[in-house]
Amino acid sequence: MRALLGGRLPPEEMFPAGRAGYHVRWLTLPSGLRVRAVRCDPAEDAVTDGAPPPVAVFVHGWACSIFTWHRNLRVVADAGVQVHAFDLVGHGLSDKPLDDGHYTVPAMAQQLRDVLDALGLERVLLVGHSMGCALALRLAMDTPDRVAGL
């Protein structure tokens, strides 16, 4: 079976490798853990009035990664939104600590706050999938001033 699948892709070939308009960053959180983040800026013609575009952060579910959003990020950005997504700790290409304390909803919601801080984002729209919905809701309940919408 492994021969048929060819093994795991190397990180430099994983989404969004080779796609125009995506910017990959590595963020070091206050915990010392590193997460991979992707930004997709709005198309030039999508911004019309000179105001800063709305900002959305996409939060994937358990056992998923940024790839969950591979069909959504560019479409939303082309509609005039600055889009961010990241691999949660333990997922995708982000660090994978063994301490299970990193994988509780409160700890992962804190991680979401830390990612917003590292990206310099004050108030955002949150888009969640599965467990990502629970994290987005927890952030909205704990710090409603940071969430423009869910």
Side-chain angles (χ1 to χ4, degrees):
M1 180 66 116
R2 184 180 176 107
L4 292 175
L5 297 176
R8 183 178 172 152
L9 283 175
E12 62 273 7
E13 293 181 26
M14 290 183 180
F15 176 80
R19 295 188 187 200
Y22 292 87
H23 309 278
V24 178
R25 289 177 57 183
W26 287 93
L27 308 172
T28 301
L29 304 181
S31 64
L33 296 171
R34 291 184 51 205
V35 298
R36 179 178 70 135
V38 171
R39 185 186 81 234
C40 196
D41 291 323
E44 295 280 329
D45 60 351
V47 182
T48 55
D49 61 3
V55 178
V57 175
F58 285 62
V59 186
H60 65 75
W62 187 257
C64 296
S65 70
I66 289 171
F67 186 74
T68 298
W69 309 110
H70 75 279
R71 295 180 189 252
N72 307 96
L73 301 179
R74 181 79 261 157
V75 174
V76 174
D78 286 345
V81 178
Q82 183 186 81
V83 178
H84 297 265
F86 67 101
D87 285 333
L88 288 160
V89 166
H91 298 78
L93 294 177
S94 293
D95 285 347
K96 295 167 181 60
L98 297 178
D99 178 8
D100 59 3
H102 291 284
Y103 302 103
T104 66
V105 170
M108 294 179 96
Q110 179 61 51
Q111 181 192 144
L112 174 54
R113 276 189 293 281
D114 292 343
V115 166
L116 295 182
D117 291 344
L119 293 171
L121 303 175
E122 292 299 319
R123 189 166 166 81
V124 300
L125 301 164
L126 290 173
V127 180
H129 166 252
S130 190
M131 180 191 66
C133 294
L135 302 179
L137 183 58
R138 179 67 182 247
L139 182 72
M141 292 185 325
D142 291 348
T143 55
D145 56 311
R146 306 275 320 248
V147 180
L150 294 170

